[in-house]
């Protein structure tokens, strides 16, 4: 039995879960999320908790058990608390700012990068070098942060570029001259 899959999901007050065949919809104070679940698991909704049960002992059902429970739990956490990923921009002249529904990045290229902010995501910029990506959908927050980071990943010699706030860059020694 999956150690993660057998744990019940507590449903906080103000969160409404609706099941429709294989579609799970979770609605809360931070928005509404919906996701298709695999057919080899069953979802039992109670008054204050939700349980995911697998239909048989096949390899596919065992694999889907813990995954489905985690995806639904992330939806519940997302509509109540939300998710946030912080990025840091390092480098002379590197900066970011939000203009309307776009994130404008100056990253040392000959042109600024205009990144359209996806629906359901809020981006805050602090001091032009700290970017916070917030939203209810954990997957979308992670994808958006990874896309922003991909415009200029951190380089190992001077550490210039965009990195996650909790990321450590392994620095390399530069060239040494002849003696």
């Amino acid at each position: 039995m999956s150690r993660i899959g057998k744990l019940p999901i507590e449903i906080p007050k103000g969160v409404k879960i609706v099941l429709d065949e294989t579609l799970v919809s979770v609605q809360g104070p931070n928005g509404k999320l919906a996701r298709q679940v695999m057919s080899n698991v069953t979802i039992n909704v109670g008054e204050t908790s939700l349980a995911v049960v697998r239909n048989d002992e096949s390899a596919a059902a065992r694999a889907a058990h813990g995954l489905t429970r985690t995806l639904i739990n992330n939806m519940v956490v997302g509509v109540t608390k939300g998710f946030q990923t912080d990025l840091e921009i390092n480098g002379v002249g590197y900066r970011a700012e939000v203009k309307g529904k776009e994130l404008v990045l100056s990253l040392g290229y000959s042109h600024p990068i205009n990144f359209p902010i996806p629906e359901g995501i809020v981006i805050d910029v602090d001091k032009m070098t700290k970017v916070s990506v917030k939203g209810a959908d954990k997957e979308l927050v992670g994808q958006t942060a990874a896309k922003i980071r991909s415009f200029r990943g951190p380089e190992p010699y001077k550490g210039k570029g965009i990195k996650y706030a909790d990321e450590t860059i392994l620095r390399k020694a530069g060239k040494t001259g002849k003696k």
Side-chain angles (χ1 to χ4, degrees):
M1 189 72 164
S2 170
R3 284 184 279 177
I4 293 174
K6 68 182 178 183
L7 296 173
I9 299 171
E10 298 298 320
I11 302 173
K13 291 194 182 334
V15 174
K16 182 181 168 189
I17 298 179
V18 177
L19 292 173
D20 182 29
E21 303 270 330
T22 60
L23 181 72
V24 178
S25 298
V26 180
Q27 187 169 1
N30 287 352
K32 182 178 181 179
L33 297 173
R35 179 179 288 276
Q36 292 283 342
V37 294
M38 295 174 221
S39 61
N40 37 12
V41 293
T42 305
I43 299 166
N44 300 326
V45 180
E47 289 293 319
T48 60
S49 67
L50 176 141
V52 178
V53 181
R54 57 181 171 222
N55 298 339
D56 53 39
E57 291 297 318
S58 67
R62 286 181 299 171
H65 189 202
L67 173 67
T68 303
R69 189 255 179 217
T70 301
L71 291 173
I72 295 171
N73 187 52
N74 285 343
M75 290 167 60
V76 171
V77 171
V79 298
T80 54
K81 298 175 186 170
F83 293 99
Q84 177 176 342
T85 301
D86 295 324
L87 301 166
E88 292 178 358
I89 301 174
N90 296 319
V92 177
Y94 290 13
R95 66 192 58 183
E97 62 180 319
V98 176
K99 286 186 178 176
K101 294 187 178 188
E102 283 190 336
L103 177 68
V104 180
L105 298 164
S106 298
L107 299 174
Y109 297 119
S110 61
H111 61 283
I113 298 169
N114 297 325
F115 177 70
I117 299 173
E119 194 67 34
I121 295 292
V122 176
I123 295 182
D124 295 329
V125 177
D126 184 36
K127 297 181 185 172
M128 296 192 295
T129 59
K130 306 238 187 283
V131 179
S132 293
V133 181
K134 301 175 190 171
D137 188 356
K138 185 175 186 177
E139 185 178 350
L140 187 59
V141 168
Q143 282 179 334
T144 304
K147 181 67 176 171
I148 293 170
R149 183 183 182 274
S150 73
F151 291 130
R152 176 77 85 172
E155 55 97 10
Y157 295 101
K158 293 184 181 178
K160 293 174 19 174
I162 302 174
K163 71 178 191 79
Y164 295 111
D166 57 353
E167 182 179 12
T168 303
I169 306 299
L170 294 177
R171 303 294 288 269
K172 292 182 179 179
K175 294 180 184 178
T176 57
K178 269 188 174 177
K179 289 189 177 187

